[in-house]
PDB file of all heavy atoms in Angstrom:
ATOM      1  N   MET A 166     129.368 119.971 114.231  1.00  0.00           N
ATOM      2  CA  MET A 166     130.148 118.875 113.680  1.00  0.00           C
ATOM      3  C   MET A 166     129.805 118.577 112.229  1.00  0.00           C
ATOM      4  O   MET A 166     130.515 117.847 111.555  1.00  0.00           O
ATOM      5  CB  MET A 166     129.940 117.618 114.528  1.00  0.00           C
ATOM      6  CG  MET A 166     130.442 117.713 115.955  1.00  0.00           C
ATOM      7  SD  MET A 166     132.223 118.034 116.076  1.00  0.00           S
ATOM      8  CE  MET A 166     132.895 116.494 115.440  1.00  0.00           C
ATOM      9  N   VAL A 222     122.016 118.793 120.688  1.00  0.00           N
ATOM     10  CA  VAL A 222     121.504 118.017 119.557  1.00  0.00           C
ATOM     11  C   VAL A 222     120.292 118.702 118.934  1.00  0.00           C
ATOM     12  O   VAL A 222     119.314 118.995 119.619  1.00  0.00           O
ATOM     13  CB  VAL A 222     121.149 116.582 120.000  1.00  0.00           C
ATOM     14  CG1 VAL A 222     120.569 115.787 118.838  1.00  0.00           C
ATOM     15  CG2 VAL A 222     122.388 115.882 120.550  1.00  0.00           C
ATOM     16  N   PRO A 229     109.876 113.773 115.888  1.00  0.00           N
ATOM     17  CA  PRO A 229     110.973 113.513 116.825  1.00  0.00           C
ATOM     18  C   PRO A 229     110.584 112.764 118.095  1.00  0.00           C
ATOM     19  O   PRO A 229     111.432 112.092 118.684  1.00  0.00           O
ATOM     20  CB  PRO A 229     111.469 114.917 117.169  1.00  0.00           C
ATOM     21  CG  PRO A 229     110.295 115.809 116.952  1.00  0.00           C
ATOM     22  CD  PRO A 229     109.548 115.214 115.801  1.00  0.00           C
ATOM     23  N   VAL A 278     108.099 134.136 114.437  1.00  0.00           N
ATOM     24  CA  VAL A 278     108.728 133.872 115.726  1.00  0.00           C
ATOM     25  C   VAL A 278     107.703 133.805 116.857  1.00  0.00           C
ATOM     26  O   VAL A 278     107.924 133.136 117.878  1.00  0.00           O
ATOM     27  CB  VAL A 278     109.812 134.928 116.019  1.00  0.00           C
ATOM     28  CG1 VAL A 278     109.175 136.294 116.325  1.00  0.00           C
ATOM     29  CG2 VAL A 278     110.714 134.493 117.156  1.00  0.00           C
ATOM     30  N   VAL A 296     119.796 130.339 108.424  1.00  0.00           N
ATOM     31  CA  VAL A 296     119.812 129.763 107.081  1.00  0.00           C
ATOM     32  C   VAL A 296     118.628 128.809 107.013  1.00  0.00           C
ATOM     33  O   VAL A 296     118.031 128.466 108.035  1.00  0.00           O
ATOM     34  CB  VAL A 296     121.116 128.979 106.760  1.00  0.00           C
ATOM     35  CG1 VAL A 296     122.335 129.890 106.792  1.00  0.00           C
ATOM     36  CG2 VAL A 296     121.295 127.795 107.708  1.00  0.00           C
ATOM     37  N   GLY A 302     127.308 125.547 105.363  1.00  0.00           N
ATOM     38  CA  GLY A 302     127.993 126.374 104.391  1.00  0.00           C
ATOM     39  C   GLY A 302     127.141 127.410 103.694  1.00  0.00           C
ATOM     40  O   GLY A 302     127.576 128.007 102.702  1.00  0.00           O
ATOM     41  N   GLN A 303     125.924 127.661 104.196  1.00  0.00           N
ATOM     42  CA  GLN A 303     125.045 128.630 103.551  1.00  0.00           C
ATOM     43  C   GLN A 303     125.346 130.055 104.034  1.00  0.00           C
ATOM     44  O   GLN A 303     125.975 130.266 105.055  1.00  0.00           O
ATOM     45  CB  GLN A 303     123.583 128.298 103.843  1.00  0.00           C
ATOM     46  CG  GLN A 303     123.121 126.956 103.315  1.00  0.00           C
ATOM     47  CD  GLN A 303     121.636 126.751 103.580  1.00  0.00           C
ATOM     48  OE1 GLN A 303     120.784 127.485 103.092  1.00  0.00           O
ATOM     49  NE2 GLN A 303     121.323 125.733 104.379  1.00  0.00           N
ATOM     50  N   ASP A 321     112.532 139.346 128.196  1.00  0.00           N
ATOM     51  CA  ASP A 321     112.719 140.415 129.182  1.00  0.00           C
ATOM     52  C   ASP A 321     111.378 140.865 129.758  1.00  0.00           C
ATOM     53  O   ASP A 321     111.265 141.144 130.963  1.00  0.00           O
ATOM     54  CB  ASP A 321     113.433 141.612 128.540  1.00  0.00           C
ATOM     55  CG  ASP A 321     114.900 141.335 128.235  1.00  0.00           C
ATOM     56  OD1 ASP A 321     115.433 140.330 128.757  1.00  0.00           O
ATOM     57  OD2 ASP A 321     115.505 142.110 127.472  1.00  0.00           O
ATOM     58  N   ASP A 337     129.961 133.808 111.676  1.00  0.00           N
ATOM     59  CA  ASP A 337     131.418 133.932 111.709  1.00  0.00           C
ATOM     60  C   ASP A 337     131.768 135.270 112.352  1.00  0.00           C
ATOM     61  O   ASP A 337     130.887 135.962 112.890  1.00  0.00           O
ATOM     62  CB  ASP A 337     132.030 133.800 110.309  1.00  0.00           C
ATOM     63  CG  ASP A 337     131.500 134.830 109.310  1.00  0.00           C
ATOM     64  OD1 ASP A 337     131.072 135.935 109.735  1.00  0.00           O
ATOM     65  OD2 ASP A 337     131.519 134.547 108.104  1.00  0.00           O
ATOM     66  N   PHE A 359     135.712 125.059 111.598  1.00  0.00           N
ATOM     67  CA  PHE A 359     136.533 123.950 111.119  1.00  0.00           C
ATOM     68  C   PHE A 359     137.392 124.305 109.904  1.00  0.00           C
ATOM     69  O   PHE A 359     138.407 123.643 109.650  1.00  0.00           O
ATOM     70  CB  PHE A 359     135.648 122.741 110.802  1.00  0.00           C
ATOM     71  CG  PHE A 359     135.113 122.066 112.029  1.00  0.00           C
ATOM     72  CD1 PHE A 359     133.822 122.303 112.466  1.00  0.00           C
ATOM     73  CD2 PHE A 359     135.906 121.194 112.771  1.00  0.00           C
ATOM     74  CE1 PHE A 359     133.317 121.684 113.605  1.00  0.00           C
ATOM     75  CE2 PHE A 359     135.427 120.572 113.906  1.00  0.00           C
ATOM     76  CZ  PHE A 359     134.129 120.819 114.331  1.00  0.00           C
ATOM     77  N   LYS A 362     141.238 129.722 108.474  1.00  0.00           N
ATOM     78  CA  LYS A 362     142.603 129.669 107.952  1.00  0.00           C
ATOM     79  C   LYS A 362     143.657 129.657 109.049  1.00  0.00           C
ATOM     80  O   LYS A 362     144.777 129.174 108.834  1.00  0.00           O
ATOM     81  CB  LYS A 362     142.852 130.854 107.014  1.00  0.00           C
ATOM     82  CG  LYS A 362     142.761 132.210 107.682  1.00  0.00           C
ATOM     83  CD  LYS A 362     143.031 133.333 106.678  1.00  0.00           C
ATOM     84  CE  LYS A 362     142.977 134.701 107.348  1.00  0.00           C
ATOM     85  NZ  LYS A 362     143.247 135.801 106.368  1.00  0.00           N
ATOM     86  N   CYS A 367     141.644 129.852 117.094  1.00  0.00           N
ATOM     87  CA  CYS A 367     141.497 131.236 116.666  1.00  0.00           C
ATOM     88  C   CYS A 367     140.050 131.531 116.287  1.00  0.00           C
ATOM     89  O   CYS A 367     139.499 132.582 116.644  1.00  0.00           O
ATOM     90  CB  CYS A 367     142.415 131.516 115.479  1.00  0.00           C
ATOM     91  SG  CYS A 367     142.350 133.229 114.876  1.00  0.00           S
ATOM     92  N   GLN A 374     134.713 136.817 121.291  1.00  0.00           N
ATOM     93  CA  GLN A 374     134.915 138.254 121.459  1.00  0.00           C
ATOM     94  C   GLN A 374     133.600 139.033 121.463  1.00  0.00           C
ATOM     95  O   GLN A 374     133.526 140.161 121.952  1.00  0.00           O
ATOM     96  CB  GLN A 374     135.835 138.795 120.356  1.00  0.00           C
ATOM     97  CG  GLN A 374     137.294 138.405 120.542  1.00  0.00           C
ATOM     98  CD  GLN A 374     138.195 138.883 119.419  1.00  0.00           C
ATOM     99  OE1 GLN A 374     137.737 139.577 118.513  1.00  0.00           O
ATOM    100  NE2 GLN A 374     139.461 138.504 119.474  1.00  0.00           N
TER     101      GLN A 374
END
Side-chain angles (χ1 to χ4, degrees):
M166 296 300 292
V222 178
V278 71
V296 297
Q303 298 183 62
D321 289 346
D337 58 27
F359 288 100
K362 63 180 181 180
C367 181
Q374 286 177 4

